[in-house]
């Protein structure tokens, strides 16, 4: 099958780049399976396993699709094209209606009035072999700390309640737009955006991810990346978290006091956390799920039954105390 993956941004994503990271691993896995992959992405992108075409903003996507393409996989706002297509919705709130939309968790799909979803999968070889023998102390936060819905303040409150350290992976103590909005506590360490090597270094020594988001998280790569390195997840029961974090690999509550009390007593198996992420959230599982959807649209089927889409329920400023 010849597959065109369309996305805004530059690939590969070396640090954050959530969507770009996911489409990179998807294309890489599809190529391993023997499919021909082409990316239509922003200038500056490079790839050694797929053809890359730089997007021309002066042309429509349809004008830039090579003739040999069988199916187009949008990862941004879709356009009317002559080829069969699907579109993955990576964020909350969409400004278009498309019966071939695919979401990144069941909750994410249901809240938007759709059914099709595929969990994000990582190529864990890129993350290195998880060292599950290291002693663990303190906790970590992983995500864009400047986003209020990620609630780094809540993560800091949990760490302070546990009288322990917190490694903030994805933010700075001083944010030029927001000032000193975090903390001056010397046990809270800010590391900015980090690459896979940096994640491995800190998460392998962490007792767990503190992830008290105050919105409906569509998926949350921070969850699966942390679990891969043997760290359980302590977060809020919103969005995808109840799907991704069963009781054997973490604990969910909208109350800091309950998370603190639980962390003081609970013990988790680093091996169980690692194996759970490795086996369920890998790029092969993701690619196989997308291939099934590609086959459907190539056969003229739609991925979601036609129905009225409900107004999107509130997905941010959710309760945290």
């Amino acid at each position: 099958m010849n597959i065109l993956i369309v996305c805004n941004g530059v690939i590969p994503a070396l640090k954050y780049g959530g969507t770009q990271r996911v489409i990179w691993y998807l294309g890489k896995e599809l190529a391993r399976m023997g499919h021909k992959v082409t990316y239509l992405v922003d200038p500056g992108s490079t790839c050694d396993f797929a053809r890359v075409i730089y997007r021309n903003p002066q042309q429509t996507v349809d004008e830039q699709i090579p003739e040999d393409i069988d199916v187009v996989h949008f990862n941004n706002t879709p356009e009317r094209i002559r080829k069969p297509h699907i579109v993955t919705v990576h964020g909350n709130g969409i400004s278009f209606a498309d019966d071939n939309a695919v979401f990144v968790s069941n909750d994410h799909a249901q809240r938007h009035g759709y059914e099709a979803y595929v969990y994000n999968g990582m190529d864990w070889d890129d993350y290195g072999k998880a060292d599950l023998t290291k002693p663990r102390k303190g906790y970590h936060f992983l995500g864009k700390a400047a986003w209020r819905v990620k609630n780094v303040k809540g993560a800091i409150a949990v760490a302070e309640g546990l009288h322990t350290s917190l490694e903030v992976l994805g933010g700075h103590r001083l944010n030029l737009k927001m000032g000193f909005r975090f903390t001056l506590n010397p046990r809270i360490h800010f590391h900015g955006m980090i690459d896979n090597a940096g994640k491995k270094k800190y998460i392998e020594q962490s007792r767990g991810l503190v992830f008290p988001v105050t919105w409906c998280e569509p998926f949350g790569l921070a969850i699966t990346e942390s679990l891969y390195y043997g760290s359980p997840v302590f977060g809020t029961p919103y969005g995808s978290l109840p799907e991704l974090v069963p009781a054997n690999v973490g604990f969910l509550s909208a109350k800091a006091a309950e998370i603190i009390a639980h962390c003081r007593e609970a013990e988790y198996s680093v091996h169980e956390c690692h194996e759970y992420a490795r086996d369920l959230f890998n790029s092969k599982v993701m690619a196989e799920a997308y291939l099934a959807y590609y086959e459907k649209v190539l056969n003229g089927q739609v991925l979601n039954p036609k129905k009225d889409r409900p107004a999107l329920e509130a997905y941010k400023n959710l309760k945290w105390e």
Side-chain angles (χ1 to χ4, degrees), residues 68-314:
D68 62 350
I69 293 298
D70 297 313
V71 63
V72 176
H73 184 167
F74 286 100
N75 290 269
N76 50 7
T77 303
E79 299 179 17
R80 185 179 296 277
I81 59 173
R82 65 189 185 278
K83 299 278 189 177
H85 78 282
I86 72 167
V87 51
T88 296
V89 179
H90 293 272
N92 274 319
I94 55 175
S95 58
F96 58 86
D98 194 304
D99 290 334
N100 290 332
V102 179
F103 294 75
V104 292
S105 68
N106 184 41
D107 174 83
H108 190 212
Q110 293 296 321
R111 282 188 295 106
H112 289 78
Y114 290 77
E115 296 182 4
Y117 69 93
V118 174
Y119 289 140
N120 291 328
M122 302 290 97
D123 180 354
W124 294 125
D125 289 344
D126 263 13
Y127 286 72
K129 184 177 180 180
D131 186 346
L132 305 178
T133 66
K134 290 185 176 180
R136 294 174 182 258
K137 60 180 181 179
Y139 293 80
H140 72 282
F141 169 94
L142 178 58
K144 284 190 175 180
W147 289 8
R148 292 186 184 275
V149 294
K150 296 294 186 176
N151 195 17
V152 70
K153 284 188 175 181
I156 290 169
V158 169
E160 290 179 333
L162 290 167
H163 305 291
T164 190
S165 61
L166 181 75
E167 308 298 332
V168 179
L169 313 179
H172 298 279
R173 190 180 300 274
L174 172 61
N175 184 293
L176 294 179
K177 292 183 178 179
M178 300 179 183
F180 286 97
R181 66 180 293 262
F182 302 127
T183 180
L184 297 177
N185 186 329
R187 291 198 291 186
I188 310 300
H189 309 127
F190 293 82
H191 302 281
M193 295 297 177
I194 61 174
D195 58 14
N196 288 351
K199 292 175 188 175
K200 177 178 171 64
K201 173 184 175 182
Y202 291 108
I203 300 175
E204 281 182 342
Q205 301 177 65
S206 171
R207 291 182 59 83
L209 168 69
V210 185
F211 200 64
V213 293
T214 56
W215 75 333
C216 289
E217 188 74 34
F219 180 79
L221 294 180
I223 295 169
T224 55
E225 289 175 333
S226 297
L227 289 167
Y228 175 76
Y229 289 122
S231 285
V233 176
F234 307 107
T236 42
Y238 302 136
S240 68
L241 272 75
E243 289 176 59
L244 305 189
V245 187
N248 59 318
V249 297
F251 175 78
L252 305 177
S253 173
K255 297 182 178 180
E258 290 184 356
I259 292 178
I260 291 167
H262 181 84
C263 289
R264 285 175 177 156
E265 303 293 334
E267 294 290 338
Y268 290 88
S269 166
V270 295
H271 295 277
E272 191 167 1
C273 291
H274 167 72
E275 291 165 4
Y276 170 71
R278 181 197 65 192
D279 296 344
L280 270 68
F281 304 108
N282 63 69
S283 56
K284 186 173 187 295
V285 171
M286 173 177 64
E288 288 173 343
Y290 275 119
L291 282 169
Y293 285 143
Y294 298 158
E295 293 284 356
K296 284 187 175 183
V297 297
L298 283 170
N299 289 329
Q301 301 177 51
V302 295
L303 304 186
N304 300 278
K306 293 183 182 297
K307 61 181 180 180
D308 293 333
R309 309 296 181 201
L312 185 63
E313 296 181 11

